[in-house]
Amino acid sequence: MKFRRKPRENVEINLASLIDVVFILLLFFVVTTTFTRETQLKVDLPEAASGTPPEQTELKQLEVLIAADGSYSLNGRQLLKSDLAGLSAALQKESEGDSSLPLTISADAKTPHQAVITAMDAAGKLGFAHLRITTVEAQAAP
């Protein structure tokens, strides 16, 4: 006896809907991801109560001194231009592009706040991460 076999149906997986879902997920992640990097300076402030200076290392250090009139000095040399561009150029030249060097900002007590912010902005734009602001120990009243 010959039995007839039923013709087999070809089983196919419909990939169109799977591909649609993957593209929608990809589109979602592309639209919701932000690619801007917020620039922030990490400021390591020394404690003013101890009165001990930070440890001196043998690495090259940069020190920005800001006078009461807002003029800048970098490692003891007076800068000709006391603006953001002049300070940035001097920092770039002195550091030779190495933004891992520690940078110390020392400002006079009567220095305008804008001059200190300008120095911090120049350091941030060049990528300096090791930033210190010097303080002096408070004198006890007699």
Side-chain angles (χ1 to χ4, degrees), residues 39-86:
T39 56
Q40 294 178 347
L41 276 177
K42 182 180 179 186
V43 179
D44 296 327
L45 293 176
E47 293 182 15
S50 68
T52 58
E55 295 178 12
Q56 295 295 329
T57 59
E58 294 182 19
L59 293 175
K60 181 178 177 182
Q61 293 186 0
L62 299 173
E63 185 175 14
V64 176
L65 298 170
I66 308 171
D69 62 350
S71 61
Y72 297 103
S73 296
L74 180 60
N75 287 346
R77 288 181 293 214
Q78 182 76 27
L79 298 182
L80 297 176
K81 295 175 70 176
S82 291
D83 60 350
L84 179 64

Side-chain angles (χ1 to χ4, degrees), residues 15 19 33 70 96 111 133:
L15 294 178
I19 292 172
T33 304
E96 298 170 349
T111 299
I133 298 177

Side-chain angles (χ1 to χ4, degrees), residues 7 37 49 51 82 88 99 116 119 122 133:
R37 191 176 111 193
S82 291
S88 295
S99 62
V116 177
I133 298 177

Side-chain angles (χ1 to χ4, degrees), residues 3 13 23 28 30 35 41 52 74 78 84 112-113 127 131 134:
F3 292 108
I13 297 174
F23 279 132
F28 172 76
V30 167
F35 294 103
L41 276 177
T52 58
L74 180 60
Q78 182 76 27
L84 179 64
H113 189 63
L131 180 65
T134 58

